[in-house]
Amino acid sequence: MTSFRLPFRQLSTYRPTMSSANWSRLIRFHPKSAPSTVLIGEPVDPEVDVGLASYKSEEIKVNVYSGNTVLDAGQQTGKEEVVERILSPLARNEVGTIRCIGLNVSPGLMNQWLTSVPHPCSGDGYGNP
Protein backbone atom coordinates (compact mmCIF):
# COMPACT_ATOMS: atom_id res chain seq x y z
CA MET A 1 0.00 0.00 0.00
CA THR A 2 1.37 3.40 -0.93
CA SER A 3 1.54 6.19 1.56
CA PHE A 4 0.47 9.64 0.52
CA ARG A 5 0.08 13.00 2.17
CA LEU A 6 -2.81 15.33 1.47
CA PRO A 7 -2.03 19.03 1.13
CA PHE A 8 -3.36 21.08 4.04
CA ARG A 9 -5.58 23.93 3.02
CA GLN A 10 -6.78 26.46 5.54
CA LEU A 11 -10.56 26.80 5.25
CA SER A 12 -11.02 29.58 7.78
CA THR A 13 -8.96 32.29 9.38
CA TYR A 14 -11.18 32.35 12.48
CA ARG A 15 -9.34 31.25 15.60
CA PRO A 16 -11.54 30.89 18.71
CA THR A 17 -10.18 31.74 22.13
CA MET A 18 -11.17 28.58 23.97
CA SER A 19 -8.53 29.04 26.68
CA SER A 20 -10.80 31.38 28.62
CA ALA A 21 -13.83 29.06 28.49
CA ASN A 22 -15.84 29.15 31.71
CA TRP A 23 -18.54 26.70 30.70
CA SER A 24 -18.82 22.92 30.63
CA ARG A 25 -21.39 22.44 27.84
CA LEU A 26 -23.11 24.91 25.59
CA ILE A 27 -26.17 24.69 23.40
CA ARG A 28 -27.41 26.85 20.55
CA PHE A 29 -31.17 27.36 20.71
CA HIS A 30 -34.29 29.42 20.00
CA PRO A 31 -35.81 30.69 23.27
CA LYS A 32 -39.57 30.50 23.95
CA SER A 33 -39.63 34.24 24.64
CA ALA A 34 -38.38 35.11 21.13
CA PRO A 35 -38.51 32.05 18.80
CA SER A 36 -36.79 33.82 15.89
CA THR A 37 -33.73 34.71 18.01
CA VAL A 38 -30.68 32.44 18.23
CA LEU A 39 -28.99 32.30 21.64
CA ILE A 40 -26.06 30.46 23.18
CA GLY A 41 -26.30 29.09 26.69
CA GLU A 42 -25.56 26.40 29.23
CA PRO A 43 -28.26 24.27 30.90
CA VAL A 44 -29.06 25.40 34.46
CA ASP A 45 -29.27 21.77 35.61
CA PRO A 46 -25.87 20.15 34.96
CA GLU A 47 -27.47 16.68 35.10
CA VAL A 48 -30.16 17.21 32.46
CA ASP A 49 -29.85 15.25 29.22
CA VAL A 50 -30.76 18.08 26.84
CA GLY A 51 -31.48 15.85 23.84
CA LEU A 52 -33.73 13.51 25.81
CA ALA A 53 -35.51 16.38 27.58
CA SER A 54 -36.15 18.04 24.22
CA TYR A 55 -37.45 14.78 22.76
CA LYS A 56 -39.82 14.38 25.72
CA SER A 57 -40.91 18.05 25.38
CA GLU A 58 -39.67 18.81 28.90
CA GLU A 59 -38.77 22.36 29.89
CA ILE A 60 -35.04 23.10 29.59
CA LYS A 61 -33.80 26.18 31.44
CA VAL A 62 -30.58 27.74 30.15
CA ASN A 63 -28.18 30.39 31.45
CA VAL A 64 -27.66 32.72 28.48
CA TYR A 65 -24.17 33.77 27.34
CA SER A 66 -23.27 37.06 25.63
CA GLY A 67 -21.63 35.53 22.54
CA ASN A 68 -23.39 34.63 19.32
CA THR A 69 -21.44 31.46 18.51
CA VAL A 70 -20.32 28.44 20.53
CA LEU A 71 -16.82 29.12 19.21
CA ASP A 72 -16.73 32.36 21.20
CA ALA A 73 -19.50 32.13 23.80
CA GLY A 74 -18.63 35.24 25.78
CA GLN A 75 -19.69 35.51 29.43
CA GLN A 76 -22.83 34.60 31.35
CA THR A 77 -25.36 37.43 31.17
CA GLY A 78 -27.26 36.44 34.32
CA LYS A 79 -30.34 36.00 32.15
CA GLU A 80 -32.21 32.69 32.10
CA GLU A 81 -34.28 31.44 29.16
CA VAL A 82 -36.40 28.39 28.37
CA VAL A 83 -35.54 26.45 25.20
CA GLU A 84 -38.11 26.40 22.42
CA ARG A 85 -35.93 24.51 19.92
CA ILE A 86 -32.39 23.16 20.03
CA LEU A 87 -30.19 24.02 17.05
CA SER A 88 -27.04 22.45 15.66
CA PRO A 89 -23.88 23.49 17.56
CA LEU A 90 -22.49 25.44 14.61
CA ALA A 91 -24.34 27.76 12.25
CA ARG A 92 -24.08 27.15 8.52
CA ASN A 93 -21.76 30.13 8.03
CA GLU A 94 -19.33 28.73 10.64
CA VAL A 95 -18.74 25.51 8.72
CA GLY A 96 -16.61 25.30 5.61
CA THR A 97 -16.79 22.60 2.97
CA ILE A 98 -16.69 19.06 4.29
CA ARG A 99 -14.70 16.82 2.00
CA CYS A 100 -14.75 13.05 1.97
CA ILE A 101 -11.67 11.07 0.99
CA GLY A 102 -11.46 7.35 0.34
CA LEU A 103 -13.80 4.43 -0.11
CA ASN A 104 -16.23 3.70 2.67
CA VAL A 105 -16.98 0.07 1.88
CA SER A 106 -16.10 -3.13 3.66
CA PRO A 107 -13.16 -5.18 2.35
CA GLY A 108 -15.55 -7.96 1.28
CA LEU A 109 -17.56 -5.65 -0.94
CA MET A 110 -14.40 -4.05 -2.27
CA ASN A 111 -13.15 -7.49 -3.42
CA GLN A 112 -16.40 -8.09 -5.28
CA TRP A 113 -16.59 -4.71 -7.00
CA LEU A 114 -13.03 -3.58 -7.54
CA THR A 115 -9.88 -5.40 -8.48
CA SER A 116 -7.57 -2.60 -7.40
CA VAL A 117 -7.82 0.93 -6.09
CA PRO A 118 -4.85 2.95 -7.34
CA HIS A 119 -5.65 5.97 -5.14
CA PRO A 120 -8.50 7.19 -2.96
CA CYS A 121 -11.20 9.32 -4.49
CA SER A 122 -12.19 12.71 -3.10
CA GLY A 123 -15.21 14.91 -3.41
CA ASP A 124 -17.80 16.94 -1.59
CA GLY A 125 -20.84 14.82 -2.36
CA TYR A 126 -22.03 17.16 -5.12
CA GLY A 127 -19.84 15.82 -7.91
CA ASN A 128 -17.04 18.31 -7.29
CA PRO A 129 -13.51 16.99 -6.76
Side-chain angles (χ1 to χ4, degrees):
M1 178 171 243
T2 353
S3 167
F4 66 94
R5 185 176 189 133
L6 294 174
F8 173 75
R9 190 168 56 136
Q10 188 173 347
L11 296 177
S12 172
T13 57
Y14 179 76
R15 294 290 175 255
T17 56
M18 299 295 248
S19 60
S20 62
N22 56 354
W23 47 265
S24 59
R25 58 187 184 141
L26 290 176
I27 60 172
R28 223 173 121 250
F29 66 100
H30 289 302
K32 282 192 176 181
S33 63
S36 61
T37 306
V38 175
L39 295 176
I40 305 296
E42 183 172 33
V44 172
D45 180 2
E47 301 299 317
V48 71
D49 181 333
V50 176
L52 185 60
S54 176
Y55 176 75
K56 291 181 175 181
S57 300
E58 296 173 354
E59 186 174 88
I60 305 165
K61 291 185 180 179
V62 176
N63 291 319
V64 178
Y65 278 70
S66 60
N68 53 7
T69 172
V70 295
L71 299 173
D72 190 12
Q75 302 296 320
Q76 271 194 12
T77 62
K79 187 176 173 187
E80 199 173 280
E81 289 282 352
V82 176
V83 173
E84 170 73 23
R85 182 175 182 204
I86 296 175
L87 304 172
S88 64
L90 297 173
R92 181 176 283 195
N93 63 345
E94 296 171 331
V95 179
T97 302
I98 298 173
R99 296 201 172 262
C100 303
I101 298 176
L103 292 170
N104 296 325
V105 294
S106 71
L109 290 176
M110 211 161 110
N111 289 337
Q112 291 175 10
W113 294 339
L114 304 169
T115 55
S116 68
V117 181
H119 52 82
C121 58
S122 69
D124 61 5
Y126 299 102
N128 300 319

